[in-house]
Amino acid sequence: MSTSKALLFAVAAIAVISMMDASVKSLSGDASTLTILFFRQGVAAILLGALAIYKRSRFPTKAQLPLHFVRAMMIGATAFSFFYAVGELPLMLVTAIFMVAPILVSIMGVVFLKEDVTKTLVFGTLLGFAGAMVIVFGGSNGADFSASGDLWAWVAALLGPFGYALSIVVMKSQSRQADATTITFLQAFFIALVAAPFAVVQLDVPDAVIGLRLASVGFLGALGFVLYVSALRNLPASVFVLTENTALLWAALFGLIFFMEVPALTTWGGAIMIIVACLLVGRQQVRRTPKR
């Protein structure tokens, strides 16, 4: 695949995933968060399982499955947090907060994997944290903790990136056990399996139209992943991370078109601070990675 085509795939992947996020937000008034989570992961598991079988992908051993289950539960908690947050808060605001995850991955690499502490990491962490605080407390989209209905949404938005970052650290130990398709299939399968009884207990059975919308969320998630992996295989990490930053633009666009959300200037300012912090830390990690 040429670099230009890989870039197109990368931007398309972020756009599709952002469209999925907008679809989740639109469904928040018609289905519970657990129901959305179940359909998102269940449909994705079916599609990715079929893809893994078609590709004859390598599956992990039985002894390796428990760790895959643990990581799936981390991702499931993160997805639940994100879905709940976007149902109550502006799409771009939640997207911007979740972009601190790459910085958290670097911090957890120091704590759990004994990686080196650098000045760039310290500066990037402080800058990213400052950007998140600008988003949370600044402007018309800032947190209003006097509104009890929004409190848990803010808690979900702030804790979600930590769960995602921790799952990425765990995934580093799994990357050689199976290919990306298999790992993501197991992730979706385990999450759907655990979410299923909760969705049934709630008796949140959707009608045909809402059912199709829920299924489309799973389809968009699976399609975005396939595009994501295809692009990542053909682009340097330092280039790919630039395309991930377009998530803010897509979130702003879809939020405006579908929900009439106009991001505050402080949201843009804080998002730019987070992007700069991620690029600084990511660029250093790429430079420190041995060439192969």
Side-chain angles (χ1 to χ4, degrees):
M1 183 184 297
S2 65
T3 300
S4 58
K5 187 176 182 180
L7 281 170
L8 181 62
F9 270 50
V11 174
I14 303 304
V16 170
I17 292 172
S18 299
M19 176 63 80
M20 182 201 72
D21 296 339
S23 298
V24 168
K25 183 174 178 64
S26 71
L27 281 164
S28 60
D30 299 315
S32 68
T33 304
L34 277 171
T35 300
I36 296 173
L37 180 65
F38 169 71
F39 274 85
R40 157 68 180 92
Q41 303 296 341
V43 174
I46 293 172
L47 296 175
L48 291 170
L51 180 61
I53 294 173
Y54 173 77
K55 293 172 57 180
R56 297 182 180 179
S57 300
R58 178 167 55 92
F59 278 74
T61 64
K62 290 183 179 180
Q64 296 167 339
L65 286 178
L67 188 57
H68 283 271
F69 179 81
V70 170
R71 191 183 67 83
M73 293 305 96
M74 294 178 186
I75 289 291
T78 300
F80 180 88
S81 298
F82 184 86
F83 291 170
Y84 183 80
V86 297
E88 302 290 332
L89 301 172
L91 181 60
M92 181 186 170
L93 187 148
V94 179
T95 301
I97 293 176
F98 264 69
M99 290 192 72
V100 303
I103 301 172
L104 296 176
V105 171
S106 297
I107 295 174
M108 291 181 182
V110 172
V111 176
F112 297 111
L113 303 178
K114 308 302 180 183
E115 296 177 351
D116 295 335
V117 180
T118 64
K119 292 181 180 179
T120 301
L121 176 58
V122 174
F123 177 76
T125 301
L126 294 176
L127 181 61
F129 178 78
M133 292 302 98
V134 169
I135 292 172
V136 172
F137 294 105
S140 59
N141 287 337
D144 180 10
F145 295 108
S146 63
S148 59
D150 289 342
L151 176 61
W152 290 112
W154 279 100
V155 171
L158 293 172
L159 291 182
F162 286 90
Y164 179 75
L166 184 58
S167 71
I168 294 298
V169 173
V170 174
M171 190 175 183
K172 286 187 176 182
S173 65
Q174 299 176 322
S175 59
R176 295 184 179 180
Q177 296 177 3
D179 65 17
T181 304
T182 303
I183 290 175
T184 311
F185 158 70
L186 289 172
Q187 170 185 301
F189 173 77
F190 283 137
I191 295 173
L193 187 66
V194 172
F198 294 99
V200 171
V201 167
Q202 288 185 341
L203 298 178
D204 191 2
V205 181
D207 59 32
V209 174
I210 295 177
L212 287 174
R213 291 168 61 195
L214 286 166
S216 70
V217 168
F219 171 77
L220 289 172
L223 175 60
F225 165 76
V226 172
L227 292 171
Y228 190 97
V229 173
S230 299
L232 187 58
R233 286 177 176 174
N234 295 275
L235 284 176
S238 56
V239 176
F240 187 81
V241 73
L242 295 175
T243 65
E244 288 190 310
N245 294 329
T246 62
L248 286 173
L249 300 178
W250 291 116
L253 177 63
F254 294 143
L256 179 62
I257 293 175
F258 297 117
F259 311 110
M260 300 300 294
E261 297 174 351
V262 180
L265 290 178
T266 48
T267 301
W268 284 109
I272 292 173
M273 293 169 68
I274 293 172
I275 290 173
V276 171
C278 291
L279 291 178
L280 287 174
V281 175
R283 184 181 180 186
Q284 182 189 59
Q285 293 299 325
V286 170
R287 286 181 170 180
R288 292 166 61 90
T289 301
K291 298 290 187 293
R292 293 185 179 180

